Amino acid sequence: MNRLVDPVVGRLLSAAGGVALSSWGAYRALFAPVLIGPVREQLSRRRAAAVFFNTRHRVPAYREFLRGHDRMNARQFSDIPPMDKESYIKRWPLESLCQGGRIPDRGVVIDESSGSSRTATNWVRGPEERLAARRLIQYTTRSTFGNGSFVLLNAFALGPWATGMNVSMSLVDRCILKSIGPDVGKVAATLELLGPKYRYVIAGYPPFLKALVETASIDWKDFDVCAVVGGEGMSEPLREVLNARFRKTISSFGASDLEINLAVETEYTIALRRAVSADPALARDVYGSDGVPMIFQYDPLNYFIESDAERNLLVTINRLETVSPRVRYNIRDRGIVLSSAAVTRVLQSHGISGAGLTPVIDLPLLLHWGRQDSSVAFYGCKVTPQDVQHVVLRVATLGEAVANFALHPYEDAGANKRLELWFELAAGVALPPDTAALNDDVWRVLAEVNQDFRESIKMVPADRRPIVKLFAFGESPISGQDIRVKKRYIV
């Protein structure tokens, strides 16, 4: 990367970005065709460099962090050591992580992560950064759903958790809001109460929305409902299941560690994802041999996103007003960044065009494979929860019969790598007497959706092949998970 920009220049660029963010018209102008991608990329890098200088000067914990890595005088952005939750956030008190070494007296919200990693972490957010995040999510909402009003049914977990509360605070002055939490009965009751005369957007985790469309006694054809999902990946078969009831389903990418709505799906990214899902050769030329990622677009002026050699995403929030700044923060998610121009060239080399595969706006692409620790390595391939989600929806005997699933990797007594796929059946579904045919169907479909697994399974000795295990409802090792937070898919 280029040498670090002079901090005064960086501050001016950051201030200009803040002015643009205050107006929908000015914000759109920043992405006009005349301001081509490479210019925006340079602006993004320079704003990130300004954040580095400001954080080094203002945040006590960050100065100690840099001294510990002997990088106080880093001259290039790539020389700045990445930080993460373990190496930075958990090592210092909340106050030391804040600008000026203190939590501001007013306007501060302290959020918690969902605790899906078993230990919740607290995040300090000040009034200026919450305002910026609110404007960004409102701009995204306007781009996705238009300028008209709608009823937002917020079915994310509420209470102290970052996503649910911030969604409500960000959109309360943009729509009619009801914060419900993940409760199927209350969502259905609200739809019945207000009736089909309104336009609705329901926001929640993918497993909750699947349960909603499968169990709520709603005549969906009478309602105009869209959905926004977040918190975990969503397969294209699941999108089809949801869109049988909803007008459209859009996924938003965020992180409690950073902000909600860092990136969002667009019609272009959905079309691109479907194209690479259907064409392994195209997928290899776009991103390599990994499984099908979620694909988003993001605003490079507000976020500078990189990936390292292991495809860890490193994120810098490009705003000086962030109370507790993160510089090259490793969220331990697997992903890469590509320009839309580079992807367009690959599509053209394959003779592919049209069908929504031309971006409406020249924003960079974020390809995201989920948590680095949310995949299972097995004989040289990686199996993800999204792969299993495909299997559940494509194997006829599973579908609505499955309440929960998990991947269980382990080593046997002979130190051999083994893999089990656990399915907890829904309430009232009986265990089948013979699972041999189901076992064959599951691994056949998994080989269809994961090309690396298809090749790896050929190397597995017959006595070490993966096994499907079925459990009655409430009797599995994954029973009783709190539906208010993200599910645990790896055991």
Side-chain angles (χ1 to χ4, degrees), residues 19-142:
V19 170
L21 188 60
S22 65
S23 161
W24 168 244
Y27 185 72
R28 290 190 66 184
L30 284 173
F31 301 100
V34 69
L35 191 59
I36 58 175
V39 175
R40 279 191 292 270
E41 181 182 355
Q42 286 300 316
L43 287 174
S44 180
R45 293 184 177 199
R46 288 173 180 268
R47 283 165 62 88
V51 169
F52 164 72
F53 283 117
N54 186 70
T55 306
R56 187 182 66 179
H57 175 65
R58 296 274 300 150
V59 179
Y62 194 59
R63 289 196 294 274
E64 293 300 315
F65 176 76
L66 291 174
R67 290 190 186 102
H69 289 271
D70 194 23
R71 287 292 185 273
M72 275 293 285
N73 298 311
R75 301 183 66 82
Q76 297 190 32
F77 204 82
S78 58
D79 292 336
I80 300 169
M83 60 169 67
D84 62 17
K85 192 182 296 184
E86 297 299 324
S87 68
Y88 183 69
I89 299 298
K90 291 185 176 181
R91 288 188 59 193
W92 283 277
L94 280 180
E95 292 83 358
S96 295
L97 298 167
C98 296
Q99 295 199 46
R102 58 184 292 274
I103 299 174
D105 294 333
R106 289 179 172 81
V108 168
V109 172
I110 299 179
D111 297 317
E112 281 189 1
S113 62
S114 66
S116 56
S117 61
R118 297 305 187 198
T119 303
T121 306
N122 288 277
W123 308 96
V124 179
R125 308 187 201 280
E128 290 85 2
E129 65 192 275
R130 288 191 292 106
L131 175 61
R134 183 169 78 239
R135 283 173 174 160
L136 280 172
I137 196 171
Q138 289 189 2
Y139 293 164
T140 298
T141 302
R142 185 170 180 171

Side-chain angles (χ1 to χ4, degrees), residues 183-201:
D183 188 311
V184 169
K186 289 182 179 179
V187 171
T190 301
L191 291 170
E192 292 173 349
L193 172 69
L194 297 177
K197 61 181 177 291
Y198 293 97
R199 188 166 61 123
Y200 295 89
V201 175

Side-chain angles (χ1 to χ4, degrees), residues 290-291 334 372 375-378 380-384 387 450 452-453:
D290 285 340
R334 184 173 179 81
Q372 284 284 31
S375 62
V376 170
F378 185 70
C381 77
K382 286 191 173 183
V383 182
T384 70
D387 294 332
N450 185 324
D452 285 348
F453 179 81

